[in-house]
């Protein structure tokens, strides 16, 4: 939802001044973006609206398949981390009486798996997922990390 709100803000910020300047000039011709431009912007991995983006000439379907396979691999690896490292820590906690020592041990034993899952989410979504959609949309400006 935050991403969609940021995209809506960028779209409005780029287009409202153009429409208002054409109304002020009374030229009668307001450059309003087409629906296809807005839909492309919604799916493109960028937060800055432009009417046209640099485009690649072709789609490399092998690259797209590789990125989606990496997303699936990251999901399976996150599942493995949960099953092997996180769930055993909390399995017996409901049957034991509450004590501070047990809580601290559970938290410290969950820090490393939590960081690993955070890195997996970063890699799966921000790298693989966005690159796959950028390739399918032939989006050429791939400076996600700058």
């Amino acid at each position: 939802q935050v991403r969609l709100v940021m995209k809506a803000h960028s779209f409005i910020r780029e287009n409202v001044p153009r429409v208002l300047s054409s109304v002020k000039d009374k030229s009668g011709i307001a450059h309003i973006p087409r629906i296809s431009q807005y839909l492309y912007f919604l799916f493109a991995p960028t937060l800055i609206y432009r009417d046209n983006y640099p485009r690649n000439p072709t789609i490399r379907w092998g690259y797209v398949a590789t990125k989606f396979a990496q997303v699936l691999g990251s999901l399976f690896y996150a599942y493995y981390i949960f099953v092997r490292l996180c769930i055993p820590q909390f399995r017996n906690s409901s049957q034991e009486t509450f004590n501070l020592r047990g809580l601290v041990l559970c938290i410290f034993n969950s820090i490393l798996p939590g960081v690993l899952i955070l890195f997996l989410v970063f890699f799966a979504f921000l790298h693989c997922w966005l690159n796959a959609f950028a390739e399918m949309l032939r989006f050429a400006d791939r400076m996600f990390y700058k």
Side-chain angles (χ1 to χ4, degrees):
Q1 292 300 323
V2 171
R3 182 180 69 89
L4 289 176
V5 168
M6 291 171 73
K7 282 187 176 252
H9 173 74
S10 176
F11 181 77
I12 291 169
R13 186 177 171 113
E14 290 292 323
N15 289 306
V16 166
R18 278 194 270 173
V19 172
L20 291 178
S21 67
S22 68
V23 168
K24 196 183 290 184
D25 296 340
K26 296 180 183 169
S27 61
I29 299 172
H31 179 70
I32 298 172
R34 297 186 315 263
I35 297 292
S36 62
Q37 290 173 324
Y38 181 68
L39 286 175
Y40 183 85
F41 170 63
L42 281 181
F43 289 101
T46 182
L47 293 174
I48 299 170
Y49 177 79
R50 300 285 180 253
D51 288 333
N52 296 313
Y53 295 99
R55 307 281 298 267
N56 288 333
T58 60
I59 299 172
R60 299 174 294 173
W61 290 107
Y63 182 79
V64 172
T66 302
K67 291 301 171 190
F68 281 132
Q70 288 175 349
V71 169
L72 277 172
S74 297
L75 289 174
F76 282 123
Y77 189 50
Y79 173 75
Y80 178 78
I81 289 172
F82 267 119
V83 168
R84 292 293 180 180
L85 299 175
C86 293
I87 292 175
Q89 293 296 323
F90 298 100
R91 180 168 288 145
N92 297 329
S93 63
S94 64
Q95 290 137 0
E96 297 175 2
T97 59
F98 177 77
N99 59 7
L100 189 60
R101 181 180 178 273
L103 178 67
V104 170
L105 283 175
C106 279
I107 289 173
F108 279 113
N109 287 333
S110 299
I111 288 175
L112 182 62
V115 170
L116 285 174
I117 290 172
L118 182 70
F119 285 141
L120 280 172
V121 167
F122 171 80
F123 175 74
F125 180 71
L126 293 178
H127 180 72
C128 298
W129 189 264
L130 291 180
N131 268 312
F133 270 92
E135 186 66 33
M136 287 189 297
L137 293 171
R138 296 182 4 221
F139 188 77
D141 187 17
R142 305 227 183 123
M143 303 303 246
F144 300 133
Y145 306 115
K146 287 193 175 188

